[in-house]
mmCIF file with all atom_site columns, all heavy atoms in Angstrom:
data_model
loop_
_atom_site.group_PDB
_atom_site.id
_atom_site.type_symbol
_atom_site.label_atom_id
_atom_site.label_alt_id
_atom_site.label_comp_id
_atom_site.label_asym_id
_atom_site.label_entity_id
_atom_site.label_seq_id
_atom_site.pdbx_PDB_ins_code
_atom_site.Cartn_x
_atom_site.Cartn_y
_atom_site.Cartn_z
_atom_site.occupancy
_atom_site.B_iso_or_equiv
_atom_site.pdbx_formal_charge
_atom_site.auth_seq_id
_atom_site.auth_comp_id
_atom_site.auth_asym_id
_atom_site.auth_atom_id
_atom_site.pdbx_PDB_model_num
ATOM 1   N N   . VAL Q 1 142 ? 12.684 -36.242 22.826 1.00 0.00 ? 142 VAL Q N   1
ATOM 2   C CA  . VAL Q 1 142 ? 13.489 -37.294 22.178 1.00 0.00 ? 142 VAL Q CA  1
ATOM 3   C C   . VAL Q 1 142 ? 13.301 -38.603 22.939 1.00 0.00 ? 142 VAL Q C   1
ATOM 4   O O   . VAL Q 1 142 ? 13.358 -38.628 24.178 1.00 0.00 ? 142 VAL Q O   1
ATOM 5   C CB  . VAL Q 1 142 ? 14.978 -36.903 22.151 1.00 0.00 ? 142 VAL Q CB  1
ATOM 6   C CG1 . VAL Q 1 142 ? 15.814 -38.018 21.519 1.00 0.00 ? 142 VAL Q CG1 1
ATOM 7   C CG2 . VAL Q 1 142 ? 15.170 -35.592 21.391 1.00 0.00 ? 142 VAL Q CG2 1
ATOM 8   N N   . THR Q 1 143 ? 13.064 -39.670 22.196 1.00 0.00 ? 143 THR Q N   1
ATOM 9   C CA  . THR Q 1 143 ? 12.967 -41.006 22.792 1.00 0.00 ? 143 THR Q CA  1
ATOM 10  C C   . THR Q 1 143 ? 14.170 -41.826 22.363 1.00 0.00 ? 143 THR Q C   1
ATOM 11  O O   . THR Q 1 143 ? 14.878 -41.474 21.408 1.00 0.00 ? 143 THR Q O   1
ATOM 12  C CB  . THR Q 1 143 ? 11.672 -41.720 22.352 1.00 0.00 ? 143 THR Q CB  1
ATOM 13  O OG1 . THR Q 1 143 ? 11.698 -41.918 20.930 1.00 0.00 ? 143 THR Q OG1 1
ATOM 14  C CG2 . THR Q 1 143 ? 10.447 -40.879 22.713 1.00 0.00 ? 143 THR Q CG2 1
ATOM 15  N N   . SER Q 1 144 ? 14.376 -42.950 23.042 1.00 0.00 ? 144 SER Q N   1
ATOM 16  C CA  . SER Q 1 144 ? 15.576 -43.757 22.786 1.00 0.00 ? 144 SER Q CA  1
ATOM 17  C C   . SER Q 1 144 ? 15.616 -44.332 21.380 1.00 0.00 ? 144 SER Q C   1
ATOM 18  O O   . SER Q 1 144 ? 16.683 -44.681 20.872 1.00 0.00 ? 144 SER Q O   1
ATOM 19  C CB  . SER Q 1 144 ? 15.664 -44.890 23.818 1.00 0.00 ? 144 SER Q CB  1
ATOM 20  O OG  . SER Q 1 144 ? 14.514 -45.715 23.740 1.00 0.00 ? 144 SER Q OG  1
ATOM 21  N N   . SER Q 1 145 ? 14.465 -44.415 20.735 1.00 0.00 ? 145 SER Q N   1
ATOM 22  C CA  . SER Q 1 145 ? 14.430 -44.985 19.380 1.00 0.00 ? 145 SER Q CA  1
ATOM 23  C C   . SER Q 1 145 ? 14.717 -43.950 18.293 1.00 0.00 ? 145 SER Q C   1
ATOM 24  O O   . SER Q 1 145 ? 14.815 -44.291 17.114 1.00 0.00 ? 145 SER Q O   1
ATOM 25  C CB  . SER Q 1 145 ? 13.059 -45.618 19.117 1.00 0.00 ? 145 SER Q CB  1
ATOM 26  O OG  . SER Q 1 145 ? 12.040 -44.644 19.195 1.00 0.00 ? 145 SER Q OG  1
ATOM 27  N N   . ASP Q 1 146 ? 14.843 -42.688 18.674 1.00 0.00 ? 146 ASP Q N   1
ATOM 28  C CA  . ASP Q 1 146 ? 15.055 -41.632 17.673 1.00 0.00 ? 146 ASP Q CA  1
ATOM 29  C C   . ASP Q 1 146 ? 16.468 -41.687 17.100 1.00 0.00 ? 146 ASP Q C   1
ATOM 30  O O   . ASP Q 1 146 ? 17.448 -41.929 17.823 1.00 0.00 ? 146 ASP Q O   1
ATOM 31  C CB  . ASP Q 1 146 ? 14.817 -40.254 18.288 1.00 0.00 ? 146 ASP Q CB  1
ATOM 32  C CG  . ASP Q 1 146 ? 13.341 -39.965 18.503 1.00 0.00 ? 146 ASP Q CG  1
ATOM 33  O OD1 . ASP Q 1 146 ? 12.510 -40.655 17.888 1.00 0.00 ? 146 ASP Q OD1 1
ATOM 34  O OD2 . ASP Q 1 146 ? 13.036 -39.049 19.294 1.00 0.00 ? 146 ASP Q OD2 1
ATOM 35  N N   . SER Q 1 147 ? 16.543 -41.394 15.801 1.00 0.00 ? 147 SER Q N   1
ATOM 36  C CA  . SER Q 1 147 ? 17.829 -41.290 15.103 1.00 0.00 ? 147 SER Q CA  1
ATOM 37  C C   . SER Q 1 147 ? 18.114 -39.821 14.818 1.00 0.00 ? 147 SER Q C   1
ATOM 38  O O   . SER Q 1 147 ? 17.289 -38.941 15.093 1.00 0.00 ? 147 SER Q O   1
ATOM 39  C CB  . SER Q 1 147 ? 17.764 -42.054 13.780 1.00 0.00 ? 147 SER Q CB  1
ATOM 40  O OG  . SER Q 1 147 ? 16.796 -41.451 12.912 1.00 0.00 ? 147 SER Q OG  1
ATOM 41  N N   . LEU Q 1 148 ? 19.287 -39.550 14.238 1.00 0.00 ? 148 LEU Q N   1
ATOM 42  C CA  . LEU Q 1 148 ? 19.582 -38.178 13.831 1.00 0.00 ? 148 LEU Q CA  1
ATOM 43  C C   . LEU Q 1 148 ? 18.527 -37.660 12.852 1.00 0.00 ? 148 LEU Q C   1
ATOM 44  O O   . LEU Q 1 148 ? 18.097 -36.503 12.937 1.00 0.00 ? 148 LEU Q O   1
ATOM 45  C CB  . LEU Q 1 148 ? 20.969 -38.096 13.177 1.00 0.00 ? 148 LEU Q CB  1
ATOM 46  C CG  . LEU Q 1 148 ? 22.196 -38.246 14.078 1.00 0.00 ? 148 LEU Q CG  1
ATOM 47  C CD1 . LEU Q 1 148 ? 23.464 -38.098 13.234 1.00 0.00 ? 148 LEU Q CD1 1
ATOM 48  C CD2 . LEU Q 1 148 ? 22.197 -37.236 15.214 1.00 0.00 ? 148 LEU Q CD2 1
ATOM 49  N N   . ARG Q 1 149 ? 18.101 -38.530 11.934 1.00 0.00 ? 149 ARG Q N   1
ATOM 50  C CA  . ARG Q 1 149 ? 17.106 -38.117 10.944 1.00 0.00 ? 149 ARG Q CA  1
ATOM 51  C C   . ARG Q 1 149 ? 15.782 -37.784 11.616 1.00 0.00 ? 149 ARG Q C   1
ATOM 52  O O   . ARG Q 1 149 ? 15.131 -36.795 11.271 1.00 0.00 ? 149 ARG Q O   1
ATOM 53  C CB  . ARG Q 1 149 ? 16.909 -39.226 9.904  1.00 0.00 ? 149 ARG Q CB  1
ATOM 54  C CG  . ARG Q 1 149 ? 15.892 -38.888 8.823  1.00 0.00 ? 149 ARG Q CG  1
ATOM 55  C CD  . ARG Q 1 149 ? 15.914 -39.888 7.695  1.00 0.00 ? 149 ARG Q CD  1
ATOM 56  N NE  . ARG Q 1 149 ? 17.198 -39.862 7.001  1.00 0.00 ? 149 ARG Q NE  1
ATOM 57  C CZ  . ARG Q 1 149 ? 17.534 -40.687 6.013  1.00 0.00 ? 149 ARG Q CZ  1
ATOM 58  N NH1 . ARG Q 1 149 ? 16.691 -41.630 5.631  1.00 0.00 ? 149 ARG Q NH1 1
ATOM 59  N NH2 . ARG Q 1 149 ? 18.712 -40.588 5.427  1.00 0.00 ? 149 ARG Q NH2 1
ATOM 60  N N   . THR Q 1 150 ? 15.400 -38.575 12.598 1.00 0.00 ? 150 THR Q N   1
ATOM 61  C CA  . THR Q 1 150 ? 14.140 -38.328 13.308 1.00 0.00 ? 150 THR Q CA  1
ATOM 62  C C   . THR Q 1 150 ? 14.204 -37.009 14.054 1.00 0.00 ? 150 THR Q C   1
ATOM 63  O O   . THR Q 1 150 ? 13.258 -36.210 14.040 1.00 0.00 ? 150 THR Q O   1
ATOM 64  C CB  . THR Q 1 150 ? 13.847 -39.466 14.296 1.00 0.00 ? 150 THR Q CB  1
ATOM 65  O OG1 . THR Q 1 150 ? 13.918 -40.715 13.620 1.00 0.00 ? 150 THR Q OG1 1
ATOM 66  C CG2 . THR Q 1 150 ? 12.474 -39.296 14.911 1.00 0.00 ? 150 THR Q CG2 1
ATOM 67  N N   . ILE Q 1 151 ? 15.323 -36.765 14.735 1.00 0.00 ? 151 ILE Q N   1
ATOM 68  C CA  . ILE Q 1 151 ? 15.462 -35.518 15.490 1.00 0.00 ? 151 ILE Q CA  1
ATOM 69  C C   . ILE Q 1 151 ? 15.445 -34.316 14.545 1.00 0.00 ? 151 ILE Q C   1
ATOM 70  O O   . ILE Q 1 151 ? 14.790 -33.299 14.830 1.00 0.00 ? 151 ILE Q O   1
ATOM 71  C CB  . ILE Q 1 151 ? 16.757 -35.543 16.323 1.00 0.00 ? 151 ILE Q CB  1
ATOM 72  C CG1 . ILE Q 1 151 ? 16.659 -36.626 17.407 1.00 0.00 ? 151 ILE Q CG1 1
ATOM 73  C CG2 . ILE Q 1 151 ? 17.023 -34.176 16.951 1.00 0.00 ? 151 ILE Q CG2 1
ATOM 74  C CD1 . ILE Q 1 151 ? 17.946 -36.830 18.177 1.00 0.00 ? 151 ILE Q CD1 1
ATOM 75  N N   . ALA Q 1 152 ? 16.119 -34.403 13.413 1.00 0.00 ? 152 ALA Q N   1
ATOM 76  C CA  . ALA Q 1 152 ? 16.124 -33.311 12.437 1.00 0.00 ? 152 ALA Q CA  1
ATOM 77  C C   . ALA Q 1 152 ? 14.709 -33.028 11.941 1.00 0.00 ? 152 ALA Q C   1
ATOM 78  O O   . ALA Q 1 152 ? 14.302 -31.861 11.804 1.00 0.00 ? 152 ALA Q O   1
ATOM 79  C CB  . ALA Q 1 152 ? 17.042 -33.641 11.268 1.00 0.00 ? 152 ALA Q CB  1
ATOM 80  N N   . SER Q 1 153 ? 13.941 -34.086 11.700 1.00 0.00 ? 153 SER Q N   1
ATOM 81  C CA  . SER Q 1 153 ? 12.566 -33.920 11.237 1.00 0.00 ? 153 SER Q CA  1
ATOM 82  C C   . SER Q 1 153 ? 11.711 -33.229 12.297 1.00 0.00 ? 153 SER Q C   1
ATOM 83  O O   . SER Q 1 153 ? 10.892 -32.348 11.991 1.00 0.00 ? 153 SER Q O   1
ATOM 84  C CB  . SER Q 1 153 ? 11.967 -35.280 10.876 1.00 0.00 ? 153 SER Q CB  1
ATOM 85  O OG  . SER Q 1 153 ? 10.621 -35.157 10.479 1.00 0.00 ? 153 SER Q OG  1
ATOM 86  N N   . LYS Q 1 154 ? 11.907 -33.614 13.561 1.00 0.00 ? 154 LYS Q N   1
ATOM 87  C CA  . LYS Q 1 154 ? 11.143 -32.995 14.642 1.00 0.00 ? 154 LYS Q CA  1
ATOM 88  C C   . LYS Q 1 154 ? 11.469 -31.508 14.763 1.00 0.00 ? 154 LYS Q C   1
ATOM 89  O O   . LYS Q 1 154 ? 10.577 -30.672 14.971 1.00 0.00 ? 154 LYS Q O   1
ATOM 90  C CB  . LYS Q 1 154 ? 11.434 -33.707 15.965 1.00 0.00 ? 154 LYS Q CB  1
ATOM 91  C CG  . LYS Q 1 154 ? 10.807 -35.098 16.080 1.00 0.00 ? 154 LYS Q CG  1
ATOM 92  C CD  . LYS Q 1 154 ? 11.115 -35.731 17.439 1.00 0.00 ? 154 LYS Q CD  1
ATOM 93  C CE  . LYS Q 1 154 ? 10.406 -37.079 17.589 1.00 0.00 ? 154 LYS Q CE  1
ATOM 94  N NZ  . LYS Q 1 154 ? 10.659 -37.708 18.914 1.00 0.00 ? 154 LYS Q NZ  1
ATOM 95  N N   . ILE Q 1 155 ? 12.740 -31.164 14.623 1.00 0.00 ? 155 ILE Q N   1
ATOM 96  C CA  . ILE Q 1 155 ? 13.133 -29.754 14.714 1.00 0.00 ? 155 ILE Q CA  1
ATOM 97  C C   . ILE Q 1 155 ? 12.509 -28.948 13.581 1.00 0.00 ? 155 ILE Q C   1
ATOM 98  O O   . ILE Q 1 155 ? 11.932 -27.873 13.793 1.00 0.00 ? 155 ILE Q O   1
ATOM 99  C CB  . ILE Q 1 155 ? 14.672 -29.619 14.697 1.00 0.00 ? 155 ILE Q CB  1
ATOM 100 C CG1 . ILE Q 1 155 ? 15.268 -30.196 15.980 1.00 0.00 ? 155 ILE Q CG1 1
ATOM 101 C CG2 . ILE Q 1 155 ? 15.090 -28.154 14.518 1.00 0.00 ? 155 ILE Q CG2 1
ATOM 102 C CD1 . ILE Q 1 155 ? 16.784 -30.296 15.962 1.00 0.00 ? 155 ILE Q CD1 1
ATOM 103 N N   . ASN Q 1 156 ? 12.607 -29.470 12.372 1.00 0.00 ? 156 ASN Q N   1
ATOM 104 C CA  . ASN Q 1 156 ? 12.128 -28.725 11.211 1.00 0.00 ? 156 ASN Q CA  1
ATOM 105 C C   . ASN Q 1 156 ? 10.612 -28.604 11.157 1.00 0.00 ? 156 ASN Q C   1
ATOM 106 O O   . ASN Q 1 156 ? 10.076 -27.762 10.429 1.00 0.00 ? 156 ASN Q O   1
ATOM 107 C CB  . ASN Q 1 156 ? 12.662 -29.356 9.926  1.00 0.00 ? 156 ASN Q CB  1
ATOM 108 C CG  . ASN Q 1 156 ? 14.162 -29.186 9.770  1.00 0.00 ? 156 ASN Q CG  1
ATOM 109 O OD1 . ASN Q 1 156 ? 14.736 -28.239 10.300 1.00 0.00 ? 156 ASN Q OD1 1
ATOM 110 N ND2 . ASN Q 1 156 ? 14.810 -30.110 9.072  1.00 0.00 ? 156 ASN Q ND2 1
ATOM 111 N N   . SER Q 1 157 ? 9.909  -29.438 11.924 1.00 0.00 ? 157 SER Q N   1
ATOM 112 C CA  . SER Q 1 157 ? 8.447  -29.341 11.957 1.00 0.00 ? 157 SER Q CA  1
ATOM 113 C C   . SER Q 1 157 ? 7.961  -28.274 12.936 1.00 0.00 ? 157 SER Q C   1
ATOM 114 O O   . SER Q 1 157 ? 6.772  -27.958 12.963 1.00 0.00 ? 157 SER Q O   1
ATOM 115 C CB  . SER Q 1 157 ? 7.839  -30.699 12.341 1.00 0.00 ? 157 SER Q CB  1
ATOM 116 O OG  . SER Q 1 157 ? 8.149  -31.026 13.689 1.00 0.00 ? 157 SER Q OG  1
ATOM 117 N N   . LEU Q 1 158 ? 8.866  -27.713 13.732 1.00 0.00 ? 158 LEU Q N   1
ATOM 118 C CA  . LEU Q 1 158 ? 8.467  -26.734 14.750 1.00 0.00 ? 158 LEU Q CA  1
ATOM 119 C C   . LEU Q 1 158 ? 8.196  -25.352 14.173 1.00 0.00 ? 158 LEU Q C   1
ATOM 120 O O   . LEU Q 1 158 ? 7.479  -24.555 14.775 1.00 0.00 ? 158 LEU Q O   1
ATOM 121 C CB  . LEU Q 1 158 ? 9.564  -26.609 15.822 1.00 0.00 ? 158 LEU Q CB  1
ATOM 122 C CG  . LEU Q 1 158 ? 9.833  -27.836 16.692 1.00 0.00 ? 158 LEU Q CG  1
ATOM 123 C CD1 . LEU Q 1 158 ? 11.032 -27.564 17.592 1.00 0.00 ? 158 LEU Q CD1 1
ATOM 124 C CD2 . LEU Q 1 158 ? 8.607  -28.178 17.522 1.00 0.00 ? 158 LEU Q CD2 1
ATOM 125 N N   . GLY Q 1 159 ? 8.790  -25.040 13.034 1.00 0.00 ? 159 GLY Q N   1
ATOM 126 C CA  . GLY Q 1 159 ? 8.653  -23.707 12.464 1.00 0.00 ? 159 GLY Q CA  1
ATOM 127 C C   . GLY Q 1 159 ? 9.524  -22.667 13.132 1.00 0.00 ? 159 GLY Q C   1
ATOM 128 O O   . GLY Q 1 159 ? 9.247  -21.468 13.067 1.00 0.00 ? 159 GLY Q O   1
ATOM 129 N N   . VAL Q 1 160 ? 10.586 -23.097 13.809 1.00 0.00 ? 160 VAL Q N   1
ATOM 130 C CA  . VAL Q 1 160 ? 11.495 -22.160 14.470 1.00 0.00 ? 160 VAL Q CA  1
ATOM 131 C C   . VAL Q 1 160 ? 12.513 -21.631 13.453 1.00 0.00 ? 160 VAL Q C   1
ATOM 132 O O   . VAL Q 1 160 ? 12.668 -22.199 12.368 1.00 0.00 ? 160 VAL Q O   1
ATOM 133 C CB  . VAL Q 1 160 ? 12.231 -22.848 15.640 1.00 0.00 ? 160 VAL Q CB  1
ATOM 134 C CG1 . VAL Q 1 160 ? 11.235 -23.266 16.703 1.00 0.00 ? 160 VAL Q CG1 1
ATOM 135 C CG2 . VAL Q 1 160 ? 13.039 -24.048 15.156 1.00 0.00 ? 160 VAL Q CG2 1
ATOM 136 N N   . PRO Q 1 161 ? 13.206 -20.535 13.783 1.00 0.00 ? 161 PRO Q N   1
ATOM 137 C CA  . PRO Q 1 161 ? 14.169 -19.964 12.831 1.00 0.00 ? 161 PRO Q CA  1
ATOM 138 C C   . PRO Q 1 161 ? 15.318 -20.891 12.462 1.00 0.00 ? 161 PRO Q C   1
ATOM 139 O O   . PRO Q 1 161 ? 15.884 -20.762 11.374 1.00 0.00 ? 161 PRO Q O   1
ATOM 140 C CB  . PRO Q 1 161 ? 14.685 -18.718 13.560 1.00 0.00 ? 161 PRO Q CB  1
ATOM 141 C CG  . PRO Q 1 161 ? 13.604 -18.368 14.521 1.00 0.00 ? 161 PRO Q CG  1
ATOM 142 C CD  . PRO Q 1 161 ? 13.011 -19.664 14.957 1.00 0.00 ? 161 PRO Q CD  1
ATOM 143 N N   . ALA Q 1 162 ? 15.701 -21.802 13.358 1.00 0.00 ? 162 ALA Q N   1
ATOM 144 C CA  . ALA Q 1 162 ? 16.834 -22.683 13.068 1.00 0.00 ? 162 ALA Q CA  1
ATOM 145 C C   . ALA Q 1 162 ? 16.423 -23.792 12.105 1.00 0.00 ? 162 ALA Q C   1
ATOM 146 O O   . ALA Q 1 162 ? 15.283 -24.259 12.115 1.00 0.00 ? 162 ALA Q O   1
ATOM 147 C CB  . ALA Q 1 162 ? 17.379 -23.284 14.352 1.00 0.00 ? 162 ALA Q CB  1
ATOM 148 N N   . VAL Q 1 163 ? 17.368 -24.218 11.294 1.00 0.00 ? 163 VAL Q N   1
ATOM 149 C CA  . VAL Q 1 163 ? 17.141 -25.304 10.342 1.00 0.00 ? 163 VAL Q CA  1
ATOM 150 C C   . VAL Q 1 163 ? 18.080 -26.450 10.677 1.00 0.00 ? 163 VAL Q C   1
ATOM 151 O O   . VAL Q 1 163 ? 19.292 -26.250 10.861 1.00 0.00 ? 163 VAL Q O   1
ATOM 152 C CB  . VAL Q 1 163 ? 17.388 -24.843 8.893  1.00 0.00 ? 163 VAL Q CB  1
ATOM 153 C CG1 . VAL Q 1 163 ? 17.243 -26.012 7.928  1.00 0.00 ? 163 VAL Q CG1 1
ATOM 154 C CG2 . VAL Q 1 163 ? 16.425 -23.718 8.527  1.00 0.00 ? 163 VAL Q CG2 1
ATOM 155 N N   . ALA Q 1 164 ? 17.520 -27.656 10.762 1.00 0.00 ? 164 ALA Q N   1
ATOM 156 C CA  . ALA Q 1 164 ? 18.326 -28.845 11.036 1.00 0.00 ? 164 ALA Q CA  1
ATOM 157 C C   . ALA Q 1 164 ? 18.657 -29.547 9.727  1.00 0.00 ? 164 ALA Q C   1
ATOM 158 O O   . ALA Q 1 164 ? 17.783 -29.747 8.881  1.00 0.00 ? 164 ALA Q O   1
ATOM 159 C CB  . ALA Q 1 164 ? 17.577 -29.784 11.970 1.00 0.00 ? 164 ALA Q CB  1
#
Side-chain angles (χ1 to χ4, degrees):
V142 178
T143 63
S144 59
S145 62
D146 286 342
S147 64
L148 288 181
R149 180 170 296 176
T150 308
I151 294 174
S153 177
K154 287 181 176 181
I155 292 171
N156 292 333
S157 68
L158 294 175
V160 296
V163 176

